Amino acid sequence: MSTTPAAATGGPAVRVRGATRRFAGAPALDDVTFDVAEHSVCGLLGRNGAGKTTLMSLLAGHDRPDAGTVEVLGEQPFENARAAGASLLVRDDQRYPDDFHLAHVLRVGPLFHPAWDAALAAEVVERFRIPSKPQVKKFSRGQRSALGILLGLASRAPLTILDEPVLGLDATARGHFGELLVREVSEHPRTVVLSTHLVDEVERVLDRVLVLDHGRLVLDAGVDEARDRAHVVLGPAEAVESATAGLRALSSRRVGGFLELVLEGPAAPATARAARAAGLQVRPAGLQELVAALGAGDAEPPATPRPAPVPSATPAPGAPR
Amino acid sequence: MTTTSAPGAAPGAGRAARGPGASAVAVLRLQTTKRFETFGSPLVVLGTGLLATALVALVVWRATPAGSGTWVEVSRGLQLVLWWLVGYMGYNGVQSVATTFPLALTLGTTRAAFTAGTVAHHVLVSAHVTLVALALLGLEQLTDRWFTGVHLLDSRLLGDGDPVRLVAILFLSQLAALSLGGAFAAVWVRHGPRVTFASGVAVVLVLALVAALVVPGVADLAGAFRLWWLSVLAVAVIAVCALVQTLALRRAAVR
């Protein structure tokens, strides 16, 4: 899905200014400021503990900031009936009442969301093969994620927030999720905020990405813009170092005699030509690589095929975190 | 870092729609969506308690000389139904808050609406069981103690067959148990297990202190005791628990 500013019909759906949240004195979110355009799909990326779930809790009114402001659809969300009725946050560890079954979820959804689509809910049940007999608490990890997707999509909540929606899903189910999300957002425009560690899996459905690291917002950009934020040069170490001398590296990884650098900004045509002439690979950085380079990715991000087992990535000296 | 994806656009005030999720009625329907657990299980507990009372009376009848009447007195004195229902309602009260609150917030409701809907749920469940028990008491009296003389609901602690007292005792005791469970669960949701444990210890200590103060005059108190004292105490417990639930959940975050 491309970035579609035109889809933003009435100002930002989410407006966060200087939001800070501390737990036991330690900041989980630190002075975070951003907007999310109405009817856009925003990816919230970052490592475990980066502050993603805390931020989503603030957006849904499940929690409130110690400092700063949060507005959702023009309302502060905490203990606000109008905002609460217009948003839905499904957590990765979403809890359900004792003895809850699929039928109960299907029964209570429409009580809270008037736009609930029962046909869509039935389609999700079928596509994701959500079982009806076992209690929800006995669901597998993937089945719980599928149930969360059902709630999120069928609710048609104007602000739908999904915390790790594809966690534990198999590849087929992840494909279903992407397809349904694209279809839903195009046919029934709404604002979606979703967090994930599987950046590559959901990249195509995102309009915008927010990257958090240690509670701070380190990247807020459209997906296309984010892709232009960095490029990768890979090859024999000496040749890479020679070709990229003077360029700002966000991260580096050395395997044997090979070196992979994630460099800030798009590759300059002349530099890219020279590097290729020297037998080096030059390509735009993927979103996952950019997130990793910003110090916010998983310790071992997926990388270009290489001749030996991959050690952990290390940020280049002086690289921003 | 600040980046605005819709530059210059003012937040659209009032664009959020008020959904039915904001109402306590939706929460009440969420609480009652497990129909058997809500309306069937308490009746199973009630029926099992009555059956157990009858079985104990049967054993006593077999163990005592014919015509002694001991088994009738035993059945009148047994209060299994009351204690079993109170225990079950305590659990029910805990789960009505501890595991339902996170889903209610997820679906989109306010804490105030959740508390109001949950209290209404507690009242509904207590009234439901009480009405069934009242009907059974009527049946018990119509059938001259189930054609055998055994006292199941026409027992001492349940009002000696007085329907008004049965209703007051059963309704208030169940509602108090549900409210206590809900209050402790709300404290657990808000403050976690340690504060909940400390609260339980504090309640026990306060009760022990009150008991120590009252014991010297217990004989006088027993002489002057009126059943409505318990009603007032139950209403006070219910009110305090509702207040605790409201205060605890008012700032509770789901994490």
Side-chain angles (χ1 to χ4, degrees), chain A residues 5 8 10-13 15 17 21 23 31-38 57 60-64 71-75 78-91 93-101 103-104 107-114 116 151 158 208 217-221 225 229, chain B residues 1-37 41 88 91 94-115 188-190 246 249-255:
Chain A
R15 184 182 170 93
R17 294 290 177 271
R21 183 71 174 101
F23 296 119
D31 193 23
V32 170
T33 294
F34 66 92
D35 288 349
V36 176
E38 193 167 25
S57 295
H62 291 195
D63 199 0
R64 58 182 168 181
E71 278 184 14
V72 168
L73 303 171
E75 306 272 351
F78 189 84
E79 201 59 355
N80 180 330
R82 285 191 298 272
S87 66
L88 180 142
L89 160 60
V90 185
R91 295 166 176 276
D93 60 347
Q94 179 63 50
R95 279 186 285 163
Y96 296 87
D98 291 354
D99 308 316
F100 234 54
H101 291 73
H104 298 127
R107 204 180 293 156
V108 299
L111 301 177
F112 292 82
H113 294 279
W116 179 271
L151 271 175
R208 196 162 196 85
L217 191 60
V218 294
L219 178 68
D220 175 3
E225 184 191 344
R229 291 287 180 101
Chain B
M1 180 186 290
T2 304
T3 303
T4 305
S5 48
R15 281 181 290 135
R18 184 184 180 84
S23 72
V25 174
V27 174
L28 176 60
R29 292 179 67 186
L30 166 65
Q31 293 281 15
T32 56
T33 194
K34 296 181 298 178
R35 287 163 192 160
F36 179 77
E37 286 79 359
S41 293
Y88 177 75
Y91 152 76
V94 169
Q95 76 92 29
S96 70
V97 172
T99 62
T100 309
F101 179 68
L103 181 63
L105 278 198
T106 279
L107 289 168
T109 189
T110 61
R111 290 151 182 79
F114 177 80
T115 302
W188 179 79
V189 167
R190 172 74 178 87
T246 303
L249 293 183
R250 193 172 60 171
R251 291 169 183 266
V254 177
R255 291 197 288 273

Side-chain angles (χ1 to χ4, degrees), chain A residues 8 20 68 156 224 262 290:
Chain A
T20 298
R156 299 235 164 99
D224 294 336
V262 178
L290 176 63

Side-chain angles (χ1 to χ4, degrees), chain A residues 286-308:
Chain A
L287 206 50
Q288 174 75 63
E289 287 170 313
L290 176 63
V291 172
L294 290 170
D298 292 329
E300 297 199 25
T304 308
R306 47 195 62 247

Side-chain angles (χ1 to χ4, degrees), chain A:
Chain A
M1 181 177 290
S2 61
T3 305
T4 53
T9 56
V14 172
R15 184 182 170 93
V16 176
R17 294 290 177 271
T20 298
R21 183 71 174 101
R22 296 184 188 86
F23 296 119
L29 275 183
D30 189 3
D31 193 23
V32 170
T33 294
F34 66 92
D35 288 349
V36 176
E38 193 167 25
H39 302 166
S40 65
V41 180
C42 177
L44 195 51
L45 312 177
R47 296 189 65 176
N48 293 331
K52 303 186 296 294
T53 302
T54 301
L55 179 55
M56 289 189 288
S57 295
L58 298 185
L59 300 185
H62 291 195
D63 199 0
R64 58 182 168 181
D66 295 313
T69 60
V70 175
E71 278 184 14
V72 168
L73 303 171
E75 306 272 351
Q76 75 78 24
F78 189 84
E79 201 59 355
N80 180 330
R82 285 191 298 272
S87 66
L88 180 142
L89 160 60
V90 185
R91 295 166 176 276
D92 63 341
D93 60 347
Q94 179 63 50
R95 279 186 285 163
Y96 296 87
D98 291 354
D99 308 316
F100 234 54
H101 291 73
L102 171 63
H104 298 127
V105 175
L106 296 175
R107 204 180 293 156
V108 299
L111 301 177
F112 292 82
H113 294 279
W116 179 271
D117 186 330
L120 176 60
E123 183 183 352
V124 173
V125 169
E126 187 183 336
R127 280 203 185 200
F128 290 82
R129 299 180 179 175
I130 304 175
S132 59
K133 285 192 177 173
Q135 291 181 21
V136 169
K137 69 180 177 186
K138 300 203 172 150
F139 277 14
S140 69
R141 174 63 262 180
Q143 288 168 336
R144 286 205 301 276
S145 290
L147 191 60
I149 288 169
L150 183 156
L151 271 175
L153 294 184
S155 71
R156 299 235 164 99
L159 175 61
T160 304
I161 308 168
L162 302 170
D163 187 7
E164 295 288 350
V166 297
L167 198 63
L169 292 180
D170 58 51
T172 306
R174 292 198 298 272
H176 286 317
F177 170 67
E179 184 187 331
L180 284 172
L181 183 61
V182 169
R183 191 184 83 192
E184 268 299 297
V185 173
S186 59
E187 292 178 1
H188 304 278
R190 59 173 135 163
T191 308
V192 177
V193 175
L194 62 89
S195 72
T196 184
H197 292 290
L198 299 172
V199 182
D200 294 334
E201 295 276 350
V202 298
E203 185 176 342
R204 70 190 177 91
V205 304
L206 301 179
D207 295 315
R208 196 162 196 85
V209 289
L210 302 171
V211 181
L212 288 168
D213 187 33
H214 291 108
R216 298 187 70 87
L217 191 60
V218 294
L219 178 68
D220 175 3
V223 169
D224 294 336
E225 184 191 344
R227 288 194 190 104
D228 287 338
R229 291 287 180 101
H231 67 284
V232 176
V233 178
L234 170 67
E238 278 187 20
V240 170
E241 283 165 354
S242 168
T244 60
L247 297 179
R248 181 179 171 79
L250 297 175
S251 72
S252 68
R253 182 155 52 183
R254 192 183 288 270
V255 181
F258 281 79
L259 177 64
E260 180 186 78
L261 289 182
V262 178
L263 297 154
E264 193 175 37
T271 309
R273 269 197 305 274
R276 288 194 182 103
L280 304 178
Q281 283 186 31
V282 181
R283 58 177 173 78
L287 206 50
Q288 174 75 63
E289 287 170 313
L290 176 63
V291 172
L294 290 170
D298 292 329
E300 297 199 25
T304 308
R306 47 195 62 247
V310 182
S312 62
T314 53
R321 291 184 61 84

